[in-house]
Amino acid sequence: MDKRLESLEDILINKRITPVFQTVVSLKSGRILGYEALSRIVGESEFDSIEQLCLTAIEFDRVQELERLCHRRALEAARSILKPGSNMKLLININPNTVNDPRFKETFTEEYVQQYNISPRSIIFEITERSCIERMENYEETIRHFKEMGFEIAIDDMGAGYSGLNRVANVQPHFVKLDMHLIRNIDQEGIKNAIVKGLVAFSRASNIKLIAEGIESYEELKTVVDLGVNYAQGFFIQEPHSEPREINPGVIEAIQEINQLKQKQNQYGIFHLPIKLLCETTETGAPDEKVIDVYHRIKNNPAAFGLTVIGKNIPVGIITREKLALKLSGRYGFTLHQNKAISTLMDKDFLTVDKDMAVSDVSLLAMNRINENVYDFIVVTCGEKFLGTVTVKKLLQKSSEIEIIAAKQLNPLTGLPGNNLIEQRLNDLVKNNYDYTVAYIDIDNFKVYNDYYGFENGDLVISLVADILRECVPVNQFIGHIGGDDFIVIYYGHRTEEDFREICERFDAAVLKFYNDNDIQKGYLEAKSRFGVNRRFPLSTLTAVVVNNETDKYESSVELSAALSKLKTFKRMSKQAVNKF
């Protein structure tokens, strides 16, 4: 008898399986979604891992027996956390061909889980699709059956094996789990980042939640949070334990901090993103620290790209890994320098920028350095005090992201954010309940001017509005171009129409240069109205109507836009009444 089969039967007969639980956590709040039940072999066996045991069970057609044992053990151990009324979920792994077995459908019933005092709504079937599914029609019918009973479905290992979007489309699961090999080093590999970014867009459109498996570093965690993945699990979050546990508070804090950073980026807007949002705390040293000590610190930390030398909390120099290695190389380099102070080798001519400088401006400064220094990291300060550093790689990645967004989202005439970005910003205001003011700005009688003087002159007048807004509105606020002669300005904080008076007055004075002297002297243009009747139209002026949430609360961006439109119509009618000829 095959020793593997003999060992498998021994495990089944003596029920030598025990569960361990790994936490699945929300990447929005840090709240625990639930626990994945993973099985482990008790005692000695012919198998090095549970994966080998499962493959042997498949080979000898005993997989249903093995999975029933694993499920029973998991339910017994998890009943303490899946009490009625609990929001916790238990994720149970199932081979897809087990789903096709009629015995599974007959055994795993609502009555079966209720004997453990567990509701079907607390169970997520995690279907591991690493093998080809037999009898696809039966498989999909069984999935529908379990969904109707209240069980939830997760498709496992997206990005590996047989998992694919066509399978997801047919099954329409509640969750899709991203394979750990797709997540590994996602912060460093652009193709993986692009794939997951696409899957996030797909999941939002289909209302399917994504779970990233195998998170093993802070960088991987930050990347999947930034991309918009819903949930995650992995050793960085929590290793599997014999009983469900709360996760480390530090992990929750990390998730919340990453989300706060995302919110700040939304608040500033991608086009005026301050460098402080890319800044990281990195290695520092004192000017009198010995070269040999700095060398060992950098050598023993593979992630360290160098060190900032600080004197009285003010950066006075930097040393990069490459330049330090170069200076210590050669026949006598190490012997000559090792006992000197690092201040003798540090680069005193380094790029330092204020924390509020825009990423785009920092990028220009960094790329204009001499070739020898162009790839040195950038030091960020608050006042004169050291805050942290930014690598050129991170700076260029964010700059490229900004350029790509700009190419797609900016109005080609004014270079201002267009409708998509305006809508995103308005939704963000309402959703997060910031203190805000929104001004709708447009040109009175612009159509008449455009028809009378021509489109080229009309474009110049629209560009004039954009230029005045850029001059008058602080860079950390938002200016958008809806299209035509319509603009949006968003302030974080409360403003009134009085705050926009200067903008309107500057336009009213500057626009006159786009009229001929005769029309300026008359003070009007004579043209046909929409009804074909000749009438006099006043020269163009600028109108701004303003709403804020100090007194009026808006439940959606649509409601906010409607309020602005109503105000604009009322103010325009008032102007027409005053300016009748």
Side-chain angles (χ1 to χ4, degrees):
M1 185 176 183
D2 190 308
K3 286 186 177 181
R4 294 176 303 139
L5 177 57
E6 186 177 351
S7 185
L8 169 61
E9 290 188 339
D10 178 60
I11 290 169
L12 293 173
I13 292 169
N14 294 296
K15 300 178 175 53
R16 293 200 294 112
I17 290 291
T18 189
V20 293
F21 298 91
Q22 187 171 47
T23 309
V24 179
V25 66
S26 165
L27 294 181
K28 189 71 174 175
S29 64
R31 181 183 64 82
I32 294 175
L33 170 71
Y35 301 89
E36 179 180 0
L38 304 167
S39 297
R40 297 290 184 264
I41 302 168
V42 178
E44 295 184 0
S45 74
E46 291 291 318
F47 309 104
D48 295 329
S49 65
I50 192 70
E51 287 77 16
Q52 287 186 2
L53 175 63
C54 291
L55 290 172
T56 302
I58 292 171
E59 181 182 345
F60 291 102
D61 196 25
R62 307 293 289 275
V63 67
Q64 284 81 12
E65 294 175 68
L66 178 59
E67 287 200 344
R68 279 199 297 272
L69 174 59
C70 294
H71 298 161
R72 187 161 61 250
R73 289 297 200 204
L75 292 170
E76 289 170 352
R79 64 174 122 195
S80 62
I81 63 159
L82 299 179
K83 295 176 181 178
S86 168
N87 292 323
M88 292 293 175
K89 305 287 186 180
L90 179 67
L91 288 78
I92 296 177
N93 288 281
I94 299 175
N95 183 284
N97 291 313
T98 297
V99 176
N100 268 338
D101 191 312
R103 291 171 294 178
F104 177 70
K105 190 173 179 180
E106 294 166 3
T107 303
F108 219 108
T109 62
E110 184 174 359
E111 292 73 24
Y112 174 71
V113 296
Q114 284 179 345
Q115 69 177 310
Y116 297 98
N117 202 27
I118 295 173
S119 165
R121 289 169 179 77
S122 299
I123 304 293
I124 299 175
F125 288 141
E126 188 174 317
I127 303 174
T128 307
E129 298 195 344
R130 288 189 179 271
S131 58
C132 182
I133 297 174
E134 302 168 2
R135 304 191 306 277
M136 181 59 72
E137 290 183 2
N138 290 349
Y139 166 80
E140 293 176 2
E141 191 280 326
T142 303
I143 292 297
R144 286 192 292 272
H145 165 77
F146 280 113
K147 287 168 72 174
E148 289 170 1
M149 290 175 61
F151 295 100
E152 292 188 318
I153 306 298
I155 299 297
D156 196 12
D157 300 325
M158 174 63 73
Y162 286 84
S163 296
L165 295 179
N166 59 333
R167 188 75 44 78
V168 173
N170 291 337
V171 171
Q172 297 183 23
H174 302 87
F175 302 89
V176 165
K177 299 191 76 174
L178 304 179
D179 184 74
M180 65 175 63
H181 294 100
L182 187 58
I183 300 302
R184 186 70 63 250
N185 297 322
I186 189 173
D187 56 302
Q188 302 172 31
E189 299 183 29
I191 188 65
K192 292 181 178 180
N193 192 296
I195 291 170
V196 173
K197 187 174 184 179
L199 290 173
V200 168
F202 166 77
S203 72
R204 287 174 176 167
S206 56
N207 197 29
I208 295 171
K209 307 299 183 185
L210 296 182
I211 303 174
E213 295 185 292
I215 300 291
E216 293 191 354
S217 69
Y218 173 84
E219 290 74 20
E220 291 172 354
L221 175 69
K222 184 177 187 305
T223 302
V224 295
V225 173
D226 287 341
L227 287 172
V229 176
N230 308 100
Y231 301 97
Q233 64 187 101
F235 280 23
F236 182 80
I237 295 170
Q238 188 186 73
E239 296 184 11
H241 289 284
S242 58
E243 58 185 29
R245 292 187 179 182
E246 296 294 326
I247 62 174
N248 188 313
V251 174
I252 299 175
E253 290 176 8
I255 292 171
Q256 292 173 344
E257 286 174 0
I258 295 168
N259 278 288
Q260 287 169 4
L261 178 62
K262 283 182 66 179
Q263 290 178 3
K264 286 181 180 179
Q265 290 181 352
N266 289 335
Q267 177 179 339
Y268 286 106
I270 192 79
F271 303 102
H272 301 294
L273 195 70
I275 195 67
K276 66 184 176 184
L277 298 183
L278 304 186
C279 180
E280 294 181 338
T281 303
T282 48
E283 291 277 354
T284 61
D288 58 356
E289 187 172 355
K290 287 187 177 182
V291 169
I292 184 68
D293 295 330
V294 171
Y295 169 77
H296 284 301
R297 285 173 61 190
I298 294 176
K299 179 182 177 182
N300 294 331
N301 182 5
F305 44 78
L307 177 146
T308 308
V309 183
I310 304 293
K312 296 182 180 179
N313 208 23
I314 296 174
V316 294
I318 66 170
I319 188 76
T320 66
R321 177 187 289 272
E322 293 77 13
K323 289 180 181 178
L324 180 60
L326 181 62
K327 289 179 179 180
L328 297 183
S329 63
R331 190 170 182 180
Y332 302 110
F334 196 87
T335 304
L336 181 64
H337 296 294
Q338 63 175 326
N339 290 317
K340 292 182 179 179
I342 192 62
S343 59
T344 62
L345 297 187
M346 70 184 186
D347 191 344
K348 297 177 183 178
D349 185 19
F350 60 99
L351 178 57
T352 176
V353 299
D354 184 77
K355 62 182 177 63
D356 292 320
M357 183 176 287
V359 167
S360 55
D361 293 336
V362 176
S363 182
L364 287 174
L365 290 174
M367 292 300 101
N368 284 329
R369 292 182 289 183
I370 61 174
N371 290 340
E372 181 183 350
N373 297 336
V374 74
Y375 293 112
D376 291 354
F377 59 88
I378 298 106
V379 177
V380 181
T381 58
C382 179
E384 293 186 346
K385 294 183 178 180
F386 176 76
L387 185 65
T389 61
V390 176
T391 63
V392 170
K393 177 183 177 182
K394 193 170 186 178
L395 178 66
L396 293 181
Q397 284 176 335
K398 184 57 69 173
S399 298
S400 297
E401 179 184 336
I402 292 171
E403 288 178 7
I404 291 170
I405 292 174
K408 295 179 179 178
Q409 305 289 355
L410 298 186
N411 185 285
L413 174 61
T414 59
L416 292 173
N419 286 332
N420 287 341
L421 291 174
I422 293 171
E423 184 177 357
Q424 289 174 22
R425 188 57 63 93
L426 293 177
N427 285 328
D428 184 60
L429 292 177
V430 176
K431 178 181 177 181
N432 292 289
N433 199 30
Y434 297 124
D435 290 341
Y436 64 80
T437 299
V438 181
Y440 192 112
I441 296 171
D442 73 333
I443 306 171
D444 302 317
N445 302 311
F446 175 74
K447 185 180 183 304
V448 174
Y449 177 91
N450 206 43
D451 292 343
Y452 192 92
Y453 279 92
F455 291 108
E456 289 186 4
N457 283 308
D459 286 349
L460 292 174
V461 171
I462 291 172
S463 297
L464 171 66
V465 178
D467 291 341
I468 291 173
L469 291 177
R470 285 193 183 95
E471 293 170 7
C472 294
V473 178
V475 294
N476 59 343
Q477 309 301 318
F478 180 85
I479 309 169
H481 186 179
I482 298 172
D485 63 317
D486 296 324
F487 295 80
I488 283 285
V489 174
I490 297 174
Y491 274 89
Y492 289 92
H494 295 138
R495 301 285 192 280
T496 65
E497 285 187 10
E498 188 64 28
D499 295 292
F500 293 85
R501 181 184 294 275
E502 180 188 355
I503 292 172
C504 295
E505 290 175 349
R506 286 184 62 172
F507 174 85
D508 294 354
V511 75
L512 295 178
K513 66 183 179 182
F514 296 101
Y515 287 90
N516 62 44
D517 291 340
N518 185 47
D519 290 332
I520 293 174
Q521 187 174 1
K522 288 190 301 180
Y524 62 84
L525 295 180
E526 192 164 344
K528 291 185 182 296
S529 70
R530 72 178 73 178
F531 304 108
V533 178
N534 284 333
R535 55 164 291 194
R536 295 174 178 178
F537 293 89
L539 304 186
S540 290
T541 55
L542 205 63
T543 292
V545 294
V546 175
V547 298
N548 64 51
N549 64 339
E550 184 175 19
T551 54
D552 298 315
K553 305 300 179 185
Y554 300 97
E555 299 298 325
S556 68
S557 61
V558 174
E559 187 178 325
L560 193 158
S561 298
L564 284 167
S565 181
K566 185 176 180 180
L567 281 172
K568 185 184 78 167
T569 301
F570 175 78
K571 192 160 187 176
R572 177 167 286 174
M573 290 175 64
S574 299
K575 273 194 172 184
Q576 288 175 350
V578 171
N579 292 315
K580 274 188 176 180
F581 287 88

